[in-house]
Amino acid sequence: VVTIRSANGGTAGASGKLVFSSGTSKGGNSGALYLGSGAATGGRGGLVALTAGSGTSGTGGSIYVTAGDTSDADGRYGGSVYIRPGAGAGSSNGGSTIVYT
């Protein structure tokens, strides 16, 4: 088990901040960042959860999923956001994509 976390904020302070980022590039593609869990044989696949914190004063935390912009004037598109549920095997149904508003 590997745990990476910031320190608790205590009763009067804010808790810390974690930043995971790939490097920038001036002459080529920038790096990639992957977050995932392993596959399982004979069991369920791992869970990846993104959870924003709740607040007792003001609003709760937010989660932003943002694709990259482009400044290429040759008609290139900005990045895409993909959300895909898992496929089922045999007569099982695949997973669901649920968006709450």
Side-chain angles (χ1 to χ4, degrees):
V1 174
V2 176
T3 301
I4 300 172
R5 69 178 214 168
S6 63
N8 293 331
T11 58
S15 63
K17 175 180 177 180
L18 296 176
V19 176
F20 299 96
S21 177
S22 65
T24 60
S25 174
K26 295 198 184 245
N29 298 333
S30 66
L33 180 65
Y34 293 90
L35 175 65
S37 64
T41 301
R44 294 181 178 180
L47 168 71
V48 176
L50 299 176
T51 306
S54 299
T56 59
S57 176
T59 61
S62 299
I63 296 177
Y64 293 90
V65 178
T66 306
D69 299 330
T70 184
S71 58
D72 187 338
D74 292 332
R76 307 290 165 116
Y77 296 101
S80 300
V81 175
Y82 298 91
I83 300 175
R84 178 191 174 275
S91 62
S92 299
N93 294 328
S96 300
T97 301
I98 301 170
V99 178
Y100 294 98
T101 59

